[in-house]
Amino acid sequence: MSDFIPVNEPLLGGNEKKYLLECIDTGWISSEGPFVKQFEELFAIRVDRSHGIAVANGSGALDIAVQALRLEPGDEVILPTFTIISCAASLVRAGVIPVLIDADPVTWNMNVEQVAERITVRTKAIMVVHIYGLPVDMDPIVELAHQHGLKVIEDAAEMHGQRYNGKPCGSFGDISTFSFYPNKHLTTGEGGMLVCDDPELAERCRSLRNLCFQTKKRFVHEELGWNYRMTNLQAALGLAQLERLDEFVLRKRAMGERYTALLKEIDLLQLPLERTDYAENIYWVYGLVLDDALTFDAEEAMNRFAANGVGTRPFFWPMHEQPVFKKMGLFAGESYPVAERLARRGFYIPSGMSLSELQAERVAGVVKKVLS
Ligand SMILES: Cc1ncc(COP(=O)(O)O)c(C=O)c1O
């Protein structure tokens, strides 16, 4: 269907082509090229951090964060159950025990009030994940981490340009991570970044990203790393996108406000919260949650949207309900009712950077049709 409205389309109309051509003209296409360093430096400055380490994707950034912080088998890390599998996978692969927290029904972020009761003598870190457009309430997390001597890994994959009480998301973790997948506010096709302030930690992340090659004896390894390097081609895109980040945030906020104006009269539908005391939504995606009074679930709703030419994506499926983790014997008997409900009743509608006002209006029309 030619007038199908995809769930996401990036906007690449700035200096992307110019910088990519520069890569081709100069022959710098690998991770050794100059754009990588430039992108790392400018991105780190943008989030008020001293160091940026560009990587192949946001999932790899989390793998590196867990190992860089020397989390070990048997350590516990607290994280939300309502998130992408990359978060829990980075822990499970390292033998670290993921300890889950339910979601908040209004912000969809982790329920910060539940964190303290899950801290044990084995807890070593809290992995915070900002979900869909609003940041997690960071002050209580930072205070708990301080009180108990815990590290904070801040997964800011969805939060480019977002702020918590005026401070950039990505400035709160011992290590914070980002993704640059094309549905993000800033894309490099595939890509990610770790940011931190400690120079030794930054060096360790750089080494883990690059197979832990050594400077003196290159092919002699003291530790196992990954090849998670970002190419100069990706960084070229990233630089061009970073130049427009403020504009992208404004575009997405305008999209979110437009959708809310169009949809707020509809009963039986929960829309994203516009703001909290500490942040304005940046609408990474515009999520909808069906009221329990509706007889159909998110899956049926998404089928109906597809039949009307509108792309959607389901909400995250909770970690404690993942078959892969159940097979490993993880989370047996655990239940997190808010996340379970969000997974079954929630999905998001087209929220990409290229969405036009006309498309948003058409999508809103389909929402009304599908729900009636
Ligand atoms: C919260 C969160 N963390 C991590 C990731 C993983 O990033 P990537 O797709 O770049 O591996 C994503 C991807 O969307 C995400 O939303």
Side-chain angles (χ1 to χ4, degrees):
M1 203 184 305
S2 62
D3 59 354
F4 185 84
I5 303 178
V7 77
N8 175 69
E9 255 183 306
L11 209 56
L12 303 169
N15 281 324
E16 288 82 354
K17 205 187 242 177
K18 180 173 163 220
Y19 296 163
L20 280 174
L21 280 175
E22 213 172 303
C23 297
I24 291 166
D25 289 344
T26 59
W28 281 118
I29 55 170
S30 77
S31 59
E32 299 283 311
F35 285 136
V36 178
K37 207 158 187 303
Q38 280 178 47
F39 182 42
E40 288 177 335
E41 284 174 5
L42 291 177
F43 190 85
I45 289 170
R46 172 74 207 217
V47 291
D48 284 355
R49 303 305 296 252
S50 309
H51 304 279
I53 300 97
V55 289
N57 53 64
S59 305
L62 288 165
D63 288 333
I64 292 177
V66 167
Q67 196 162 327
L69 290 171
R70 300 185 193 279
L71 297 171
E72 290 184 352
D75 288 346
E76 292 179 3
V77 172
I78 295 172
L79 78 162
T81 188
F82 186 65
T83 184
I84 193 163
I85 196 142
S86 317
C87 303
S90 69
L91 301 172
V92 172
R93 284 202 182 101
V96 174
I97 301 162
V99 175
L100 301 177
I101 299 285
D102 204 356
D104 177 283
V106 181
T107 65
W108 308 334
N109 273 314
M110 69 198 281
N111 186 332
V112 171
E113 284 171 16
Q114 293 177 6
V115 174
E117 66 207 42
R118 303 236 58 195
I119 295 174
T120 72
V121 288
R122 288 180 299 278
T123 310
K124 291 286 157 36
I126 304 170
M127 183 183 276
V128 172
V129 190
H130 308 295
I131 302 283
Y132 294 167
L134 280 171
V136 172
D137 188 2
M138 288 307 299
D139 283 347
I141 298 278
V142 169
E143 194 177 323
L144 271 179
H146 187 70
Q147 271 170 16
H148 296 268
L150 308 176
K151 300 286 183 198
V152 174
I153 299 172
E154 181 192 11
D155 182 352
E158 307 172 358
M159 287 299 119
H160 319 78
Q162 179 57 296
R163 290 175 176 269
Y164 169 85
N165 276 337
K167 276 191 71 187
C169 288
S171 67
F172 292 92
D174 290 275
I175 297 182
S176 303
T177 61
F178 287 86
S179 161
F180 304 126
Y181 187 72
N183 60 5
K184 302 302 188 298
H185 278 55
L186 187 168
T187 184
T188 59
E190 298 283 353
M193 183 86 76
L194 298 112
V195 290
C196 64
D197 294 323
D198 177 345
E200 269 174 45
L201 198 54
E203 208 35 55
R204 194 165 152 70
C205 291
R206 276 192 200 101
S207 173
L208 287 164
R209 155 185 82 174
N210 193 24
L211 291 167
C212 297
F213 286 129
Q214 300 200 80
T215 28
K216 283 198 186 125
K217 291 196 166 181
R218 182 170 174 82
F219 293 110
V220 178
H221 302 262
E222 297 285 344
E223 204 178 343
L224 287 181
W226 297 268
N227 175 357
Y228 279 158
R229 299 184 297 260
M230 174 183 274
T231 67
N232 204 46
L233 297 161
Q234 291 165 299
L237 282 177
L239 263 187
Q241 291 265 298
L242 188 58
E243 290 167 359
R244 296 180 70 190
L245 181 55
D246 289 335
E247 176 200 337
F248 290 163
V249 170
L250 287 177
R251 282 182 87 101
K252 290 279 263 195
R253 285 216 166 104
M255 174 207 75
E257 282 156 21
R258 182 99 196 100
Y259 268 144
T260 300
L262 291 164
L263 300 174
K264 67 177 183 228
E265 308 300 342
I266 304 179
D267 290 336
L268 307 179
L269 201 55
Q270 182 191 348
L271 307 180
L273 193 64
E274 288 171 69
R275 63 181 57 79
T276 61
D277 299 344
Y278 44 79
E280 303 264 327
N281 207 318
I282 55 162
Y283 305 100
W284 171 53
V285 293
Y286 197 93
L288 304 177
V289 181
L290 303 173
D291 193 276
D292 292 335
L294 287 165
T295 53
F296 54 92
D297 62 6
E299 202 173 323
E300 169 61 22
M302 288 188 293
N303 288 336
R304 294 185 191 184
F305 277 89
N308 283 279
V310 172
T312 55
R313 284 279 181 288
F315 269 14
F316 292 133
W317 198 256
M319 294 305 103
H320 66 285
E321 294 196 289
Q322 295 292 343
V324 61
F325 292 144
K326 283 192 176 168
K327 278 184 258 174
M328 294 175 179
L330 286 166
F331 315 128
E334 294 183 28
S335 161
Y336 301 92
V338 178
E340 287 163 23
R341 177 171 178 274
L342 287 175
R344 287 160 179 80
R345 313 292 298 171
F347 58 100
Y348 60 89
I349 54 180
S351 315
M353 206 56 76
S354 298
L355 192 81
S356 69
E357 273 199 29
L358 223 63
Q359 284 177 315
E361 278 163 28
R362 231 190 80 205
V363 172
V366 172
V367 175
K368 287 173 193 162
K369 182 173 163 196
V370 160
L371 294 185
S372 62

